[in-house]
Amino acid sequence: MSSSEETTVPAPSPRPARLTAAAAVCGLEALALVVGGVYLLVMGVLGRPDSPQQAEMGGITLIVLGVIPLLAARGLLLRRGWSRGPALITQIMALPVAWTLLRASGGLIPAGIALAVVAVTGLVLIVNPTTTEALGIRGPARDA
């Protein structure tokens, strides 16, 4: 095949900044869950919690839950349409946790505010039409 007969594949369009930001939010949430899980696990083993088994199980649970937004972040960066679902679920699950933290006292209130801001930001970024289009997700068909 000569060089004049070669077919050129169009270069993929650049990833929208909103999609990259949504992936970053999911990645941040994954990191927070894993760090919190490791902390609980270490405290359950080395510390003196009221219930070591409960602390250890809580730590393992948080680490496993951290995998969901991590996979979503990777999928968003790779423009996989399936990644929108886990990303949305992560943000929606974060809202009741933020509400619970906001209703607590002391140092948990700022954590609740931060989590609420991150979750709402993530929701806005994920449902944005630019993000949806970049993931190849089509809206409902409209009758003409």
Side-chain angles (χ1 to χ4, degrees), residues 73-91:
R74 184 174 187 277
L76 290 171
L77 286 174
L78 296 175
R79 293 186 182 187
R80 305 291 192 251
W82 61 262
S83 62
R84 185 174 183 229
L88 280 171
I89 290 168
T90 300
Q91 307 317 313

Side-chain angles (χ1 to χ4, degrees), residues 18-37:
R18 288 184 176 115
L19 184 58
T20 304
V25 167
C26 287
L28 176 68
E29 290 167 333
L31 179 65
L33 285 167
V34 170
V35 167

Side-chain angles (χ1 to χ4, degrees), residues 48-59:
R48 303 225 186 270
D50 293 337
S51 172
Q53 296 85 4
Q54 191 173 11
E56 292 163 6
M57 185 54 79

Side-chain angles (χ1 to χ4, degrees), residues 85-136:
L88 280 171
I89 290 168
T90 300
Q91 307 317 313
I92 291 168
M93 287 175 46
L95 291 173
V97 175
W99 178 252
T100 302
L101 293 172
L102 287 170
R103 295 181 49 91
S105 61
L108 296 178
I109 293 173
I113 292 168
L115 181 57
V117 167
V118 168
V120 170
T121 301
L123 279 171
V124 168
L125 290 169
I126 292 165
V127 300
N128 186 282
T130 304
T131 302
T132 304
E133 182 181 324
L135 292 174

